[in-house]
Amino acid sequence: MHFGTPTQHQKECFTRVVKGVIGISSAIFPNGTNGHQLDCLARRSLWNCGLDYLHGTGHGVGSFLNVHEGPQGISYKTSATDVPIEAGMFLSDEPGYYKDGEFGMRIENIVFTKSIQREHNFRNRGFLTFEEVTLVPIQTKLIDASLLTAEEVTWLNDYHMRCRNIVGEELERQGRTNALKWLHRETNPLG
């Protein structure tokens, strides 16, 4: 959360991090795909302008309540325990960027892996995608919309509508009008 007025550089960096979140969250990939094969989808926009981050993009979230529970994960590193991502797995989607001594940013969403039907099914492998479980608005005052594609704007607006509808319904039920006003303000459509 940024409490002041972001610089243009901060907005560019944050927008590239958002593009990484969208890259992972909207990925469609065949069964048998490992997390290290998806990692570049989160880093692509940062790499395009010479930036990067030094941590993995995602980790498993599981049944024993460990913070980083594998064996599944999304990282630029390969490991002996690297396993294919499977339907039913929960992972974090958390690209970031850190400028030493100045600022840092990371968006961490939890995603659920699910099967998805495609027009074709090469060698009957089947395909997977992710569904966002975390429903917290992404702060749009930090976004430079000129860096987003039309598809990315649609993804962000759809995500914010899910936040507004699902979380908003619960806030209404609880009578939390100030929180509901904040949610509506933070989920206004972009573009």
Side-chain angles (χ1 to χ4, degrees), residues 14-134:
F14 187 79
T15 304
R16 292 182 183 282
V17 170
V18 170
K19 289 170 78 70
V21 167
I22 295 169
I24 293 296
S25 193
S26 63
I28 296 172
F29 52 95
N31 278 303
T33 301
N34 293 1
H36 73 269
Q37 294 171 288
L38 299 176
D39 186 73
C40 64
L41 299 175
R43 296 174 191 271
R44 180 179 181 202
S45 184
L46 289 163
W47 285 350
N48 282 343
C49 70
L51 301 175
D52 201 357
Y53 51 95
L54 298 175
H55 58 81
T57 298
H59 54 80
V61 179
S63 59
F64 294 105
L65 301 178
N66 290 318
V67 174
H68 297 97
E69 186 165 309
Q72 74 273 23
I74 301 172
S75 180
Y76 60 94
K77 300 175 189 174
T78 58
S79 72
T81 60
D82 200 11
V83 299
I85 296 171
E86 298 177 9
M89 288 180 168
F90 287 87
L91 293 104
S92 65
D93 173 7
E94 52 180 299
Y97 175 70
Y98 310 91
K99 186 164 184 171
D100 290 343
E102 291 189 37
F103 65 90
M105 51 192 60
R106 184 187 299 201
I107 300 170
E108 183 168 349
N109 281 357
I110 303 301
V111 294
F112 174 71
T113 312
K114 65 181 188 176
S115 296
I116 186 170
Q117 297 299 311
R118 302 283 55 181
E119 179 182 354
H120 304 284
N121 187 7
F122 184 74
R123 295 194 176 199
N124 293 314
R125 287 178 74 183
F127 284 80
L128 301 170
T129 192
F130 296 115
E131 179 179 328
E132 304 81 24
V133 176
T134 305

Side-chain angles (χ1 to χ4, degrees), residues 25 107-111 131-138 155-171 182-183 186-187:
S25 193
I107 300 170
E108 183 168 349
N109 281 357
I110 303 301
V111 294
E131 179 179 328
E132 304 81 24
V133 176
T134 305
L135 296 174
V136 176
I138 294 171
W155 183 95
L156 185 62
N157 287 339
D158 289 349
Y159 174 76
H160 278 161
M161 280 302 104
R162 284 190 62 226
C163 292
R164 182 182 282 203
N165 293 337
I166 294 170
V167 177
E169 182 180 309
E170 181 60 24
L171 292 174
W182 173 86
L183 179 67
E186 294 298 317
T187 57

